[in-house]
Amino acid sequence: SSAIKQSILAKLMVEVEANLGTAMTYTLFEYAKDNKELFMENQPVNTVTSVSNSIAIGTPDVPASKKKDKKEQLSKTQKRKLADKTDNKGELPRGWNWVDVIK
Protein backbone atom coordinates (compact mmCIF):
# COMPACT_ATOMS: atom_id res chain seq x y z
CA SER A 1 0.00 0.00 0.00
CA SER A 2 1.05 3.60 -0.41
CA ALA A 3 1.17 4.15 3.37
CA ILE A 4 3.70 1.32 3.72
CA LYS A 5 5.76 2.75 0.85
CA GLN A 6 5.81 6.17 2.52
CA SER A 7 6.91 4.70 5.85
CA ILE A 8 9.71 2.73 4.14
CA LEU A 9 10.86 5.85 2.29
CA ALA A 10 10.81 7.85 5.53
CA LYS A 11 12.98 5.24 7.30
CA LEU A 12 15.38 5.14 4.35
CA MET A 13 15.60 8.96 4.29
CA VAL A 14 16.69 8.90 7.95
CA GLU A 15 19.45 6.47 6.97
CA VAL A 16 20.38 8.67 3.98
CA GLU A 17 20.74 11.72 6.18
CA ALA A 18 22.94 9.76 8.59
CA ASN A 19 25.29 8.70 5.75
CA LEU A 20 25.27 12.00 3.84
CA GLY A 21 28.61 12.70 2.18
CA THR A 22 29.67 9.06 1.83
CA ALA A 23 29.14 6.36 -0.78
CA MET A 24 25.95 4.83 0.52
CA THR A 25 24.26 2.74 -2.17
CA TYR A 26 25.54 -0.55 -0.73
CA THR A 27 24.85 0.68 2.80
CA LEU A 28 21.22 1.47 1.93
CA PHE A 29 20.65 -1.91 0.32
CA GLU A 30 22.14 -3.69 3.33
CA TYR A 31 20.02 -1.56 5.70
CA ALA A 32 16.87 -2.41 3.73
CA LYS A 33 17.76 -6.10 3.63
CA ASP A 34 18.50 -6.24 7.37
CA ASN A 35 15.29 -4.40 8.32
CA LYS A 36 12.80 -5.92 5.88
CA GLU A 37 10.73 -7.40 8.72
CA LEU A 38 10.52 -3.95 10.33
CA PHE A 39 9.43 -2.41 7.03
CA MET A 40 6.73 -5.00 6.39
CA GLU A 41 5.28 -5.30 9.90
CA ASN A 42 2.11 -3.37 8.96
CA GLN A 43 1.75 -4.92 5.50
CA PRO A 44 -1.51 -6.86 5.11
CA VAL A 45 -1.08 -10.51 4.16
CA ASN A 46 -2.57 -11.41 0.77
CA THR A 47 -3.51 -15.01 0.09
CA VAL A 48 -3.78 -16.49 -3.39
CA THR A 49 -6.97 -18.45 -3.87
CA SER A 50 -7.38 -18.95 -7.61
CA VAL A 51 -4.02 -20.24 -8.75
CA SER A 52 -5.50 -23.10 -10.78
CA ASN A 53 -7.66 -20.72 -12.84
CA SER A 54 -4.71 -18.65 -14.01
CA ILE A 55 -2.74 -21.74 -14.99
CA ALA A 56 -5.62 -23.22 -17.00
CA ILE A 57 -6.02 -20.03 -19.03
CA GLY A 58 -2.34 -19.75 -19.98
CA THR A 59 -0.52 -21.66 -22.69
CA PRO A 60 0.48 -25.25 -21.94
CA ASP A 61 3.91 -25.56 -20.41
CA VAL A 62 6.56 -27.53 -22.27
CA PRO A 63 8.80 -29.50 -19.93
CA ALA A 64 12.39 -28.31 -19.85
CA SER A 65 13.64 -31.84 -20.59
CA LYS A 66 12.14 -31.77 -24.09
CA LYS A 67 13.86 -28.50 -24.99
CA LYS A 68 17.46 -29.18 -25.80
CA ASP A 69 20.07 -26.57 -26.52
CA LYS A 70 21.65 -27.13 -29.88
CA LYS A 71 25.39 -27.53 -29.87
CA GLU A 72 27.43 -25.59 -32.34
CA GLN A 73 28.06 -27.83 -35.34
CA LEU A 74 31.60 -27.76 -36.70
CA SER A 75 32.47 -28.59 -40.27
CA LYS A 76 34.94 -31.37 -41.08
CA THR A 77 37.73 -28.90 -41.75
CA GLN A 78 37.08 -27.08 -38.48
CA LYS A 79 37.18 -30.40 -36.61
CA ARG A 80 40.39 -31.39 -38.39
CA LYS A 81 42.09 -28.06 -37.54
CA LEU A 82 41.00 -28.39 -33.91
CA ALA A 83 42.34 -31.96 -33.77
CA ASP A 84 45.67 -30.86 -35.29
CA LYS A 85 46.10 -28.16 -32.65
CA THR A 86 45.28 -30.35 -29.64
CA ASP A 87 46.73 -33.55 -28.20
CA ASN A 88 44.84 -36.82 -27.58
CA LYS A 89 43.13 -35.37 -24.46
CA GLY A 90 41.78 -32.33 -26.32
CA GLU A 91 44.19 -29.95 -24.61
CA LEU A 92 46.46 -27.48 -26.30
CA PRO A 93 50.16 -28.36 -26.07
CA ARG A 94 52.38 -26.56 -23.58
CA GLY A 95 53.69 -23.32 -25.02
CA TRP A 96 51.16 -22.99 -27.84
CA ASN A 97 50.78 -19.26 -27.13
CA TRP A 98 54.44 -18.47 -26.43
CA VAL A 99 56.03 -15.73 -28.48
CA ASP A 100 59.24 -16.50 -30.33
CA VAL A 101 61.68 -13.77 -29.37
CA ILE A 102 64.53 -15.06 -31.50
CA LYS A 103 63.72 -16.48 -34.93
Side-chain angles (χ1 to χ4, degrees):
S1 67
S2 62
I4 300 295
K5 288 179 187 177
Q6 292 301 323
S7 68
I8 292 172
L9 285 175
K11 291 173 185 174
L12 284 173
M13 287 305 290
V14 170
E15 191 68 23
V16 166
E17 290 173 8
N19 293 318
L20 201 60
T22 63
M24 67 178 110
T25 304
Y26 180 76
T27 308
L28 287 176
F29 282 118
E30 286 298 313
Y31 175 76
K33 195 180 343 176
D34 292 341
N35 296 309
K36 66 182 174 186
E37 291 85 17
L38 176 69
F39 291 154
M40 298 307 225
E41 64 187 4
N42 296 328
Q43 181 73 17
V45 178
N46 295 334
T47 58
V48 179
T49 56
S50 62
V51 174
S52 61
N53 292 340
S54 63
I55 292 174
I57 294 171
T59 59
D61 293 333
V62 177
S65 62
K66 289 186 179 180
K67 288 185 179 181
K68 293 183 181 178
D69 295 333
K70 290 187 176 182
K71 292 183 180 178
E72 182 180 340
Q73 297 293 325
L74 299 176
S75 66
K76 284 185 179 181
T77 55
Q78 289 173 328
K79 290 178 185 177
R80 191 176 303 122
K81 284 182 182 179
L82 186 63
D84 289 342
K85 289 180 184 178
T86 59
D87 59 1
N88 61 352
K89 297 178 187 173
E91 297 176 357
L92 293 169
R94 182 173 181 259
W96 67 273
N97 60 350
W98 292 356
V99 177
D100 289 336
V101 176
I102 301 172
K103 288 190 177 187

